[in-house]
Amino acid sequence: MSDRKLLLITFDYELFLGDKSGSVRDCLILPTDRLIDILDMQGIKSYFFVDTVYLNRLKEVSNDHPSARRDLEEITTQLIRVVKSGHEIHPHIHSHWNDAIYDSENNDWSLKNKRYYSFASLPGELRNNFFGQSLDIIRSILERAGSVQAVDSYRAGGWTIQPFENFRPLFIQHGIKHEWSVMPGKYQISDAHSFDFRNAPSQYPVYRFDRDPCRIDEKGPFKEWTISSLTMNRYEKWLDFKISGLLHRMGKRPAFKGNTVSSVILEQGDSQSEGGHRRQMASFEGLNPFTIKKYISAIKKSGYFHFISHPKMLSKFEFLMVIKFLKKLNRKFEIKTDFRNS
Ligand SMILES: [Zn+2]
């Protein structure tokens, strides 16, 4: 077997999405600057899915609030740096930003209102507006960075890519050809949003589709780049949990920065976890010496691995682990990180 691996390193560039969004400096600027330094040092290209409806709301309030204006300037400058360093930016829509309330005193947001958490719950007109505006925002940043990168990829906020009929005409109209939201086997139904990827194929990590991102259609106009997972048995899961607890007590876990969205989960699971085995989303979050080993052996067996992480979630310790992990990967394998030349 060849040691050539396609490694997709992706980030959701966003604040927290609950009743306290956290600050731009702590959730975006500082961790993303650190990430770019690390990725550039290791020669790794990555993909940032930018919470575009948030940027639109930020722009709105920045007319009246200097601290919001500064945030917007810092974000724009950072994303230009991201692009100039050779990484890609694409839209990521969390539509409940529509109802977010700006707290000017603390320069923070509350996203308590979840009626539009799911893209499907938006009125048709808002769906069109949000999608079009998102593409405009990404394109204007690319233009300022002097980049000719195609804006042809999308990851749904909260993985709410279903029903796909809401997206299909927008994908076609705006030239989106690549979809990055499906983790085969996973499903969740909550009072805020739902996704169900139980029918997605498990044998092919990348496939073409047309009307349903969980169904292969070789003539389909879109390509699905599925999210990878790490499988652990009961003992490994326990060990990882213990290591996490230890790191937490040593103060090496992320400090509080904001609140995640609170929702009532009605049903969730994973059709590909059997017996004592459990799968977790491939991510830099929670990376430790034990999971690094597990990832290396999983990547050894597979020619494709797709990670999702959030800059806001990463701790100092995890950054050190990311460096260690990427160095190891570069030593052991021939890593390809550009999905366009794969
Ligand atoms: Zn997100």
Side-chain angles (χ1 to χ4, degrees):
M1 200 194 296
S2 151
D3 275 343
R4 195 166 181 270
K5 311 289 182 191
L6 176 61
L7 201 64
L8 301 178
I9 304 293
T10 74
F11 300 98
D12 289 2
Y13 186 86
E14 63 192 23
L15 296 178
F16 285 90
L17 301 160
D19 60 4
K20 270 202 159 315
S21 67
S23 77
V24 164
R25 184 132 275 268
D26 290 342
C27 299
L28 296 174
I29 304 300
L30 295 176
T32 304
D33 272 345
R34 183 96 173 90
L35 275 170
I36 296 302
D37 288 344
I38 294 171
L39 294 164
D40 290 355
M41 195 97 78
Q42 298 303 322
I44 301 244
K45 171 175 177 154
S46 68
Y47 302 86
F48 284 80
F49 290 92
V50 178
D51 191 349
T52 37
V53 181
Y54 158 59
L55 292 190
N56 234 0
R57 292 300 316 277
L58 185 60
K59 196 172 176 195
E60 251 173 59
V61 301
S62 72
N63 294 326
D64 297 323
H65 303 283
S67 33
R69 197 179 316 136
R70 259 193 312 274
D71 282 349
L72 184 60
E73 278 162 15
E74 281 203 66
I75 288 173
T76 310
T77 306
Q78 179 162 69
L79 290 175
I80 290 172
R81 180 194 172 203
V82 165
V83 172
K84 283 190 165 167
S85 303
H87 308 277
E88 296 197 11
I89 56 171
H90 294 280
H92 178 62
I93 295 179
H94 278 286
S95 35
H96 71 311
W97 272 105
N98 181 71
D99 295 313
I101 297 165
Y102 180 60
D103 169 2
S104 58
E105 211 168 295
N106 297 307
N107 189 28
D108 200 323
W109 296 79
S110 165
L111 290 95
K112 243 187 218 158
N113 189 334
K114 295 176 296 186
R115 66 177 171 148
Y116 290 155
Y117 191 94
S118 174
F119 194 76
S121 61
L122 281 173
E125 198 188 327
L126 277 185
R127 285 204 294 265
N128 293 338
N129 291 349
F130 282 0
F131 213 84
Q133 287 161 0
S134 295
L135 273 282
D136 288 346
I137 289 171
I138 299 293
R139 289 209 176 102
S140 92
I141 293 167
L142 288 169
E143 200 174 304
R144 290 184 58 182
S147 166
V148 292
Q149 176 221 300
V151 188
D152 54 4
S153 292
Y154 183 73
R155 172 175 297 138
W159 296 359
T160 61
I161 194 66
Q162 297 154 317
F164 187 64
E165 65 200 48
N166 291 325
F167 286 100
R168 196 174 177 277
L170 297 169
F171 272 36
I172 292 170
Q173 184 190 339
H174 295 284
I176 302 289
K177 296 188 177 78
H178 303 281
E179 208 299 304
W180 305 57
S181 318
V182 173
M183 181 173 158
K186 284 276 182 203
Y187 64 99
Q188 187 182 94
I189 299 155
S190 84
D191 64 341
H193 75 303
S194 302
F195 57 83
D196 187 346
F197 304 140
R198 276 176 282 194
N199 291 329
S202 54
Q203 66 276 41
Y204 305 107
V206 182
Y207 52 86
R208 294 202 152 271
F209 71 95
D210 185 359
R211 290 179 186 276
D212 177 357
C214 293
R215 227 180 66 207
I216 296 175
D217 181 338
E218 269 152 26
K219 292 196 181 74
F222 314 114
K223 221 171 190 183
E224 180 63 47
W225 300 82
T226 62
I227 297 157
S228 304
S229 62
L230 189 63
T231 303
M232 290 199 239
N233 64 34
R234 207 168 279 158
Y235 166 70
E236 292 169 327
K237 196 83 200 131
W238 173 83
L239 193 61
D240 184 44
F241 178 75
K242 286 287 170 196
I243 293 172
S244 261
L246 182 70
L247 293 172
H248 187 75
R249 285 194 296 281
M250 288 164 64
K252 290 183 181 292
R253 300 290 305 142
F256 172 84
K257 293 179 188 167
N259 285 330
T260 49
V261 66
S262 72
S263 57
V264 182
I265 293 166
L266 307 167
E267 216 188 314
Q268 66 176 346
D270 181 355
S271 65
Q272 291 184 29
S273 276
E274 317 135 8
H277 286 76
R278 286 282 170 275
R279 295 189 313 148
Q280 67 183 47
M281 179 182 85
S283 179
F284 290 169
E285 292 150 34
L287 207 57
N288 62 49
F290 172 68
T291 47
I292 286 178
K293 256 195 190 149
K294 288 287 297 172
Y295 279 121
I296 297 276
S297 73
I299 291 168
K300 197 173 183 177
K301 285 182 208 139
S302 161
Y304 170 93
F305 230 78
H306 177 174
F307 285 84
I308 298 191
S309 311
H310 300 76
K312 66 184 178 189
M313 300 295 284
L314 296 170
S315 67
K316 267 187 191 163
F317 177 76
E318 283 161 335
F319 282 120
L320 294 178
M321 291 295 109
V322 172
I323 296 172
K324 194 177 148 145
F325 180 44
L326 297 180
K327 276 187 177 167
K328 249 190 182 164
L329 284 172
N330 268 328
R331 245 193 342 258
K332 287 192 181 282
F333 311 113
E334 188 194 336
I335 301 293
K336 298 283 164 208
T337 50
D338 191 346
F339 82 104
R340 298 178 190 282
N341 308 322
S342 61

